[in-house]
Amino acid sequence: MTNDLEAIRKGKIQMLAGTDLAGADLAGADLAGADLSQANLTGANLAGANLQRAVLRANLRGADLSGADLRGADFRNADLRGASFANALLREASFGGAFLTGAAMGNLDLSGVDFRGADLRGAALVRAILQSADLSHANLSGADLSGADLEEAILNGAVLRGANLTGANLLCAAIEQTIWDGALLDRACLQGTPLSP
C-alpha cells in the first residue's frame, strides 16, 4: 500500500471510489478532481491537500482537512463528524445532506457554500462568513453562530433551536419557516428580514 499511497499523493490515481484509506497519511496530496465517493477516509490526514472539485461523498469521520483546498468539492451526504477544517478553503463546496455534527468551522469563508439539509447540530461557526450560503432545511440546533456573517444567506426551513446568533449579521437573509425556539439573537442585525424590529 505504501507505493500506492505515494502514487495517490502525487495524483497519479484519481479513481478511488470505495477505497479503504482509513488513517492514511495524505497530507499535501494532489487529489484535485479525484473521485473518492464511498471511500473510507476515517481519521485520514488530508491536511494541506489539494482536493479542489473532488468528489468526497465518503466517510471522513475524524479526518484532518486543515489547510486543505476544498473549493468546489462535493461532500454531499458525507460523514464529517469530528473532522477538522481549520484554515481550509471551502468556497463553493457542497455539503448538502452531510453530517457535520459538532464540526469546527469558525472563522472560515463559507460564502456561497451549499449546506441544504445538512446536520450542523452543535457546530462551531463563530465569525464564519456565510454570505449567500444555502442553509435551507439545515439543522443548526445548538450551533454557535456568534459574530457570523449570514448576509443574504438562505435559512428557509432551517432549525436554529437554541443556536447562538449573538452579534450575527442576518441582513436580508431569507428566513421563511425557520424555527428559532430558544435562539439567542442579542445584538444580531436583522435588517431586511421579517424579524426586523
Side-chain angles (χ1 to χ4, degrees), residues 52-77:
Q52 281 188 67
R53 300 171 317 282
V55 179
L56 289 153
R57 297 185 217 172
N59 184 349
L60 288 141
R61 282 184 86 156
D64 184 358
L65 294 154
S66 54
D69 189 343
L70 304 166
R71 290 174 293 179
D74 181 357
F75 288 98
R76 285 179 293 167
N77 302 312

Side-chain angles (χ1 to χ4, degrees), residues 1 11 18 60 62 66 68 72 75 82-84 87 100 104 127 151 175 195:
M1 186 66 170
L60 288 141
S66 54
F75 288 98
S84 171
N87 302 310
L100 288 150
R127 292 183 300 281
E151 185 172 337
I175 57 170
L195 295 176

